[in-house]
Amino acid sequence: MTQHLAAPAAPTSGTHTGWWRDAVIYQVYPRSFADGNGDGMGDLEGVRSRLPYLKDLGVDAVWLSPFYASPQADAGYDVADYRAIDPMFGTLLDADALIRDAHELGLRVIVDLVPNHSSDQHEWFKRALREGPGSPLRARYHFRPGKGANGELPPNDWESIFGGPAWTRTEDGEWYLHLFAPEQPDFNWDNPAVADEFRSILRFWLDMGVDGFRVDVAHGLVKAEGLPDLGGSDQVKLLGNDVMPFFDQDGVHEIYRSWRTILDEYPDDRIAVAEAWTPTVERTANYVRPDELHQAFNFQYLGTPWDAAELRAVIDSSLAAMRPVDAPATWVLSNHDVTRHATRFANPAGLGTQLRTAGDRELGLRRARAATLLMLALPGSAYIYQGEELGLPDVTDLPDEVRQDPSFFRAAGQDGYRDGCRVPIPWTVAGSSYGFGSGGSWLPQPASWGGLSVEAQTGDPGSTLELYRSALAVRREHPGLGAGTAVEWLESPEGVLAFRRDGFVCTANTTGETVRVPLPGRTLLANETVMIVDDMAELPADTTVWWAV
């Protein structure tokens, strides 16, 4: 497996307005990135120690998944205190030191914000339970009487994303809404106290120096008036595909306009990024209108198979949807909630984004490397999930007894196999946890991890790590890459994508066969060896090539 890197083009003298428009943002899942104190769990000290690695990798910003005080019912997405660090991750002083070190290295820091729900151990919710029906604290959540002769049935038919009903009954007979686990009661955003509290939370972290927020479940804060029944079962299958009374309600946009005014008060382009599962990219674009958030994740792209026609369609629709609102398109292949793309592409298309089969590892890695080069060539901002730069596959054979994904333990919800993409990443060839820390790791790592480690791949010109480093270096320096709103599609054989940007051409062969194309220019980078014969380039199966023209 080889790749070819030529000297990058000279950097452009112009600059783009807004760093987020072409940023490459690296997602850190703190418990699985690096363990600084040797307790087997990743922490902020560990992340801080590895910031130079991220600087050398060539990313622009680091997004940290939740590190707030939490009972950890859902890996920190159940927040008990939004202004405190969970002791397993460190202290506020550790967070402050991490932010300062990142800024000294030229890295921006984005933190997760979880505004749809709190932990059931949040002080508001504990008081609401203690004070009983009629408590003003209950108005900050969705408490309702039940249906049936004695209120024994849930208030409506909504189902939890994690399986089972979205309602839990309290000892006093009322029910409360939780679109996720029972330990995650949903806030009532119609209550002014909730909006006031989150404006205060935003300012707290902005004053700490963070550069932005990734807004968890950004589409879920507002529920349809009256909480109407949805009708039917298997509602989770509608997620991101249909209109739902608890997701993507128009009222969320008033919240984000309010937040934008706060972000704009601070210097240095503070941003917010929406995790918004919507039926269409056009609906996603509503979250990034000029007076709302800055970016939104492109889940339609993440779920697209390795197929030229389908990729072109979602690229075109994504760029077209963002253009009228003057927002950058974003591109992502993996995150902490889906099977790593090196494993998804190792399996047949159409199996969804949570898989438990390893598939053809060689095929999956080859496609993953090609897909990464395609993604990084597109106009806009790109996201990298920790470990994908090592070509890590999902760990599909974790024993059931070590799994911690809450949806794994609830019937009829998500498949519950997210632990496979959360296994701590390897840094060294040897050691009890391959350099993750001195005290083992909270999820077992496979024996193959050493050979995939940062140590093993550094300096190997054919490694996936060096491919990422090279791609990010070229992307940063080439004037035709990064921010933009369009690509010029070029004529190409069936199964091949080819497009032009300023002084640059990208060709991606998504087929399983070698394809010959006219030579576009000088080779910059490829995930496989490309043969040049006369004026033709032979693209191996599942190969993306960058050309200078």
Side-chain angles (χ1 to χ4, degrees), residues 2 11 20 77 111 115 119 152 206 280 296 309 327 339 376 469 480 497 508 530:
T2 60
W20 69 89
Y77 284 94
V111 299
S119 164
E152 72 277 9
L206 290 167
T280 66
T339 298
L376 292 175
R469 286 173 170 162
L497 289 173
V530 177

Side-chain angles (χ1 to χ4, degrees), residues 151-500:
E152 72 277 9
L153 299 176
N156 66 22
D157 67 354
W158 293 359
E159 295 175 352
S160 164
I161 304 302
F162 287 168
W167 296 90
T168 290
R169 198 175 192 187
T170 66
E171 292 183 359
D172 56 48
E174 285 197 329
W175 298 72
Y176 68 88
L177 175 68
H178 53 86
L179 292 181
F180 295 88
E183 297 88 352
Q184 297 169 290
D186 279 42
F187 284 117
N188 176 12
W189 273 87
D190 290 331
N191 188 293
V194 175
D196 289 344
E197 171 68 355
F198 273 90
R199 283 193 289 266
S200 174
I201 292 167
L202 287 175
R203 293 186 188 279
F204 177 86
W205 288 102
L206 290 167
D207 290 341
M208 282 276 290
V210 303
D211 299 284
F213 303 90
R214 176 263 192 187
V215 184
D216 185 61
V217 196
H219 53 294
L221 278 56
V222 173
K223 278 66 174 177
E225 186 175 356
L227 308 184
D229 284 343
L230 181 56
S233 58
D234 290 332
Q235 295 171 10
V236 71
K237 295 180 180 178
L238 302 177
L239 179 61
N241 298 307
D242 208 342
V243 176
M244 307 178 83
F246 45 78
F247 281 161
D248 194 30
Q249 297 293 303
D250 289 338
V252 299
H253 300 292
E254 181 180 347
I255 297 168
Y256 299 134
R257 283 190 284 271
S258 170
W259 289 11
R260 181 61 179 260
T261 63
I262 295 173
L263 293 166
D264 287 348
E265 292 173 9
Y266 286 79
D268 302 322
D269 289 334
R270 314 295 178 95
I271 73 163
V273 183
E275 183 215 24
W277 291 86
T278 66
T280 66
V281 290
E282 289 77 17
R283 292 290 299 180
T284 302
N286 290 337
Y287 291 78
V288 290
R289 287 175 287 200
D291 60 346
E292 295 191 39
L293 306 182
H294 298 75
Q295 287 187 353
F297 287 113
N298 190 341
F299 293 115
Q300 286 81 6
Y301 186 77
L302 184 150
T304 304
W306 183 238
D307 175 87
E310 294 195 46
L311 285 164
R312 176 168 175 170
V314 75
I315 291 168
D316 280 341
S317 63
S318 299
L319 292 170
M322 296 300 128
R323 209 172 290 126
V325 294
D326 190 30
T330 65
W331 315 101
V332 60
L333 293 167
S334 288
N335 63 36
H336 66 291
D337 281 333
V338 300
T339 298
R340 290 182 177 276
H341 62 283
T343 296
R344 296 202 315 275
F345 292 150
N347 283 274
L351 298 180
T353 57
Q354 285 198 28
L355 283 65
R356 206 178 181 182
T357 52
D360 183 335
R361 165 68 178 150
E362 182 179 349
L363 173 65
L365 179 59
R366 188 172 70 240
R367 287 178 170 177
R369 287 159 54 94
T372 294
L373 288 187
L374 173 62
M375 175 186 78
L376 292 175
L378 293 170
S381 178
Y383 282 78
I384 294 172
Y385 177 53
Q386 65 177 41
E388 73 170 74
E389 77 276 16
L390 305 177
L392 295 185
D394 240 58
V395 181
T396 56
D397 58 354
L398 285 171
D400 289 351
E401 59 268 21
V402 306
R403 293 186 179 276
Q404 300 191 30
D405 185 344
S407 59
F408 180 76
F409 302 98
R410 290 173 63 84
Q414 295 179 353
D415 293 332
Y417 301 135
R418 296 179 298 173
D419 291 316
C421 69
R422 300 175 177 181
V423 173
I425 67 173
W427 295 92
T428 60
V429 173
S432 64
S433 61
Y434 303 104
F436 170 67
S438 60
S441 66
W442 66 281
L443 282 173
Q445 299 160 299
S448 61
W449 244 220
L452 297 173
S453 66
V454 173
E455 181 184 15
Q457 296 195 41
T458 295
D460 177 358
S463 71
T464 301
L465 175 57
E466 295 298 345
L467 177 67
Y468 270 72
R469 286 173 170 162
S470 297
L472 292 173
V474 175
R475 188 181 190 275
R476 181 182 295 273
E477 299 298 333
H478 196 290
L481 293 174
T485 61
V487 298
E488 176 191 351
W489 293 107
L490 305 176
E491 185 177 349
S492 60
E494 184 176 357
V496 176
L497 289 173
F499 62 83
R500 184 193 307 275

Side-chain angles (χ1 to χ4, degrees), residues 6-14 16 22 376-377 470-483 500-506 522-525 546-549:
T12 178
S13 59
H16 299 296
D22 61 359
L376 292 175
S470 297
L472 292 173
V474 175
R475 188 181 190 275
R476 181 182 295 273
E477 299 298 333
H478 196 290
L481 293 174
R500 184 193 307 275
R501 300 185 66 188
D502 183 19
F504 174 88
V505 166
C506 176
R522 175 172 58 88
T523 307
L524 287 174
L525 190 62
W546 291 1
W547 312 90
V549 296

